[in-house]
Each structure stands twice: as C-alpha cells, then as structure tokens.
Amino acid sequence: MTSMATRWGICSAGRISHDFAVALKTLPAVDHQVVAVAARKLEDAQEFAKKHSISRAYGSYEELARDPDIDVVYVGTIHPHHLKVCQLFTNAKKNVLCEKPLAMNTKEVKEILDSAKRNDVFLMEAVWTRFFPVSVEVRRLLAEGELGEVKMVRSDFGVPVLHVPRLVQKELGGGALLSIGMYCLQFVCMVYNGEKPESIQATGVCLETGVDETVVVTLKFSKNKMAVFTYSSGIQLPNDAVIVGTKGTIRIPTQMWCPTSVVVNGKETQYPLPEPCLPLNFLNSTGMRYEAEEVRQCLLKGLKESAVMSHADSLLLAEVEDEIRRQVGVVYSQDCQ
Ligand SMILES: NC(=O)c1ccc[n+]([C@@H]2O[C@H](COP(=O)([O-])OP(=O)(O)OC[C@H]3O[C@@H](n4cnc5c(N)ncnc54)[C@H](OP(=O)(O)O)[C@@H]3O)[C@@H](O)[C@H]2O)c1
C-alpha cells in the first residue's frame, strides 16, 4: 500500500514561493499536494492560489498555522522574517522547510532549531543544491574515495543583481553572502563533511548600504585541506566549482548552485531537469523538487531533521557566515539584539 500525499502549506506569495509551487507540480500528485497558501495580503494569496490551483488562500500566516490539514509549511519569506515565521509554525506543531539562509545570524538559527526541537517537529533549511542528482553523485564519489584525499575545493558564484532591493537593502536582508555566497560555503561544507574550518579569512567590498558585494574567502581545515571561494552581487562570475583530490578531480562546470552537469576526471555527465508548467522567476527552479521529496521521505520516516542538510549543517553555515561578515564589516540590526 502506498503512503498518502504530503500536504504542503506555502507561506508567502513571493518569487521563490511561485517557483516552489511549480517545482512541486513536477512530482507525482499522489505524493505532493499544495493544500493552502498564505500571504500578508489576502489578495496576494488568492491570486497565487488561482495561478497554482490551490484550494485555500489565507490573508495571514497565523491562519495557515491553524490549518489542521497541513503536514509541512514551506517558508518563502525574505530572511529577516524567517525567525518569527518559523517560530509561528513550529509552535503550531507544523513541520517546516524554510528558505535559505535559515536566519540572519547564529543566534537566530539557534532559536529556530531550539523551537523545532522543543515542539518535536521536522525542520530543514532549504539548501536545495544538496539534493540535486549531481550533488548525490558528488557525495557518492567522495564517500567511495574516488578522488583519494581531497586537498582543495574552489568555487565561485557571482551574478549582477544590484537592481534587486532585497540584495542591497540591509533591512530586507541584503548582502551577497546570505543570498549568493552561502551556496559556495555550503558546497565546501558538504565536501568536507560538516567539519569546522580551523581558519577563515575574508576580504571584500561593501556597498554604501553597509552590506557585502564582492568577497573572497579562504578556509583552512584539518590535515591541510583548503578551500577558496569568491562571491559577488555585482558581477557575473563563471559560477563553477572544483574538488581536487590526490587521485582525481570533480568539476561542476557552471551553475554550481543548481547544477545539471558534472565532470569527473574529464568525463561529463548531464542530469537534465524537468520542464516547468509555468514560467519561473529563477534558473533551474524545478530542481527544488529534490529537496521537497527529501522532506517527504524524512516525514514518512518520522525524522526531525535531514541527514543531508542537518541542524548541525545549518549551524555551521551560520557560524562561518557570522565570521565572514565580521571580517568584511557587515552588521545587521539582528546582531545587536
Ligand atoms: N532557493 C533559491 O534558489 C532561492 C532563490 C531566491 C530566493 N531565495 C530565498 O527565498 C527568500 C525570498 O526570496 P524572494 O526572491 O522570493 O523574495 P520576494 O519575492 O521579494 O519576497 C518574498 C516574500 O517575503 C515577504 N516580504 C517581502 N518584503 C517584505 C517586507 N518588507 N516585510 C515583510 N515581508 C516581506 C512577502 O510575503 P507575502 O507574500 O506574504 O507578502 C514576499 O512575497 C529569501 O530568503 C531568499 O534568500 C531562495
């Protein structure tokens, strides 16, 4: 006998929520259903519901938290609101998949994780990249020792997005690290299996708004393992990633945050994504289907976190992000509370 569909609630009717709803449509309807959407304004929720054929639309997040027919809430608000919104749903005993970054800093991330544990619900930061078939293959190759000892990880992610207010304005969670650079960081942390770096060095350029624009980060790990990554909200970079070991090399030739191709010792393999049923706001967003399926599998097993993107993984990202921001001089109001 097959299990029942996972019933999703979507919190916020913004750009990434739209893409997430489209990504869910690429999965079997018997496995994934969107039951309700909530936005700050009822009209926004209703418009979203109409576009995605969702039966319930709420004009407040609280109503979604009270809906008894929801298994898990996808939080797609901008990150300064993640803490309050995640707490709303965890306190209502709802499982949560929250967009990245999980929160503005380590202190907030800890509060979210504590709240999930206290309420005994599943919670995961939506680091969708980790669930792409390319990432699964990379982890398999590393676990099987295909590269020998990994000595260096290098990657970059840069896109010109300074016209987007939420990337620039501090109160909207602006700053390239939390929106863009975190993809390079999470890649390094995945390759080095959640190990804490021994040293972190960041040099960068900030905008007049006080947030980071272009930064180079060098990390050193135990046994002389190194990593270096560059991120930017001002310029287009190649956006590739390379893992170099004593016996081989893995390269993600481009789009390292949503990869559809991997080159292992010179041999390329493609992993195409399904086509979206509606136009997307962001590149390759149907690839969010893999994180959605991970959430379903975790819920079916009664797990409270994913082994692939665990609470400890979110905490590590936040801690390294805090240190990078300290070195380049980015302070959010949330850091002072
Ligand atoms: N996984 C990915 O590839 C990916 C891509 C893009 C973004 N993201 C992440 O997703 C989140 C949202 O990004 P987005 O591009 O979708 O943002 P967005 O469309 O600008 O905003 C998303 C939602 O946040 C709420 N919001 C926006 N401004 C607000 C404000 N000033 N005060 C209170 N609430 C506000 C709104 O919710 P209502 O609809 O309820 O009004 C809005 O619909 C960010 O944390 C970002 O890092 C992830």
Side-chain angles (χ1 to χ4, degrees):
M1 163 140 169
T2 52
S3 324
M4 302 210 308
T6 300
R7 299 168 303 171
W8 290 89
I10 294 185
C11 173
S12 97
R15 289 160 59 77
I16 196 68
S17 290
H18 165 87
D19 284 13
F20 186 74
V22 174
L24 284 180
K25 285 261 168 60
T26 69
L27 292 164
V30 290
D31 290 348
H32 294 269
Q33 271 172 26
V34 183
V35 171
V37 57
R40 288 174 300 168
K41 286 200 220 129
L42 181 60
E43 309 87 272
D44 293 347
Q46 285 169 333
E47 193 189 324
F48 190 99
K50 195 169 163 211
K51 190 182 270 177
H52 296 283
S53 311
I54 300 167
S55 57
R56 299 177 204 176
Y58 297 123
S60 75
Y61 302 161
E62 286 75 15
E63 288 166 88
L64 180 62
R66 284 196 297 269
D67 188 326
D69 300 325
I70 304 289
D71 296 317
V72 51
V73 176
Y74 170 78
V75 174
T77 61
I78 57 172
H79 28 285
H81 295 271
H82 286 178
L83 171 61
K84 283 273 137 47
V85 173
C86 282
Q87 284 174 333
L88 170 71
F89 292 115
T90 53
N91 285 332
K93 312 291 179 204
K94 295 283 190 281
N95 300 302
V96 171
L97 171 65
C98 178
E99 259 313 327
K100 39 60 57 179
L102 186 51
M104 298 302 290
N105 56 31
T106 302
K107 187 170 125 302
E108 288 196 347
V109 164
K110 280 185 175 157
E111 286 184 54
I112 292 175
L113 300 177
D114 285 350
S115 174
K117 286 196 181 90
R118 217 174 30 247
N119 288 292
D120 198 32
V121 293
F122 173 88
L123 186 132
M124 184 175 96
E125 178 178 2
V127 182
W128 61 314
T129 315
R130 289 205 178 181
F131 304 96
F132 274 60
V134 164
S135 303
V136 174
E137 177 63 4
V138 168
R139 287 195 298 273
R140 186 187 71 78
L141 291 164
L142 292 174
E144 289 178 3
E146 206 75 14
L147 295 199
E149 255 178 275
V150 174
K151 289 292 189 185
M152 173 64 78
V153 182
R154 187 194 58 66
S155 97
D156 59 51
F157 185 4
V159 276
V161 286
L162 294 177
H163 56 282
V164 182
R166 103 173 157 68
L167 267 298
V168 173
Q169 301 303 325
K170 205 188 252 191
E171 60 282 3
L172 299 179
L177 177 60
L178 296 191
S179 282
I180 299 169
M182 64 80 59
Y183 283 107
C184 299
L185 176 61
Q186 76 77 25
F187 184 78
V188 171
C189 292
M190 181 186 83
V191 173
Y192 288 143
N193 236 325
E195 190 179 320
K196 250 185 207 203
E198 284 174 355
S199 77
I200 301 169
Q201 272 168 332
T203 307
V205 177
C206 288
L207 299 170
E208 276 175 12
T209 55
V211 304
D212 51 317
E213 190 228 68
T214 300
V215 178
V216 182
V217 180
T218 309
L219 303 166
K220 190 174 174 204
F221 293 82
S222 69
K223 297 184 186 153
N224 293 332
K225 302 192 295 285
M226 300 286 295
V228 56
F229 64 86
T230 307
Y231 65 85
S232 177
S233 56
I235 50 170
Q236 181 71 45
L237 292 171
N239 300 341
D240 63 340
V242 187
I243 308 169
V244 181
T246 49
K247 290 193 207 149
T249 300
I250 296 176
R251 212 162 71 82
I252 293 169
T254 188
Q255 300 165 4
M256 60 77 59
W257 75 101
C258 52
T260 55
S261 159
V262 63
V263 183
V264 182
N265 296 325
K267 185 174 176 295
E268 181 165 7
T269 310
Q270 309 270 358
Y271 297 86
L273 293 167
E275 287 302 313
C277 61
L278 288 171
L280 296 168
N281 291 312
F282 302 102
L283 185 71
N284 287 355
S285 281
T286 55
M288 286 192 282
R289 69 204 301 270
Y290 305 111
E291 67 178 1
E293 183 56 25
E294 168 74 3
V295 171
R296 173 173 166 77
Q297 292 306 322
C298 287
L299 295 182
L300 289 175
K301 292 181 193 130
L303 300 176
K304 304 303 170 191
E305 55 183 304
S306 158
V308 177
M309 188 60 215
S310 67
H311 291 189
D313 291 325
S314 287
L315 208 49
L316 176 60
L317 294 186
E319 284 167 358
V320 179
E321 285 159 5
D322 282 3
E323 177 58 18
I324 293 168
R325 284 198 297 113
R326 191 190 67 76
Q327 291 186 23
V328 297
V330 177
V331 182
Y332 295 119
S333 64
Q334 290 85 349
D335 300 329
C336 312
Q337 281 159 11

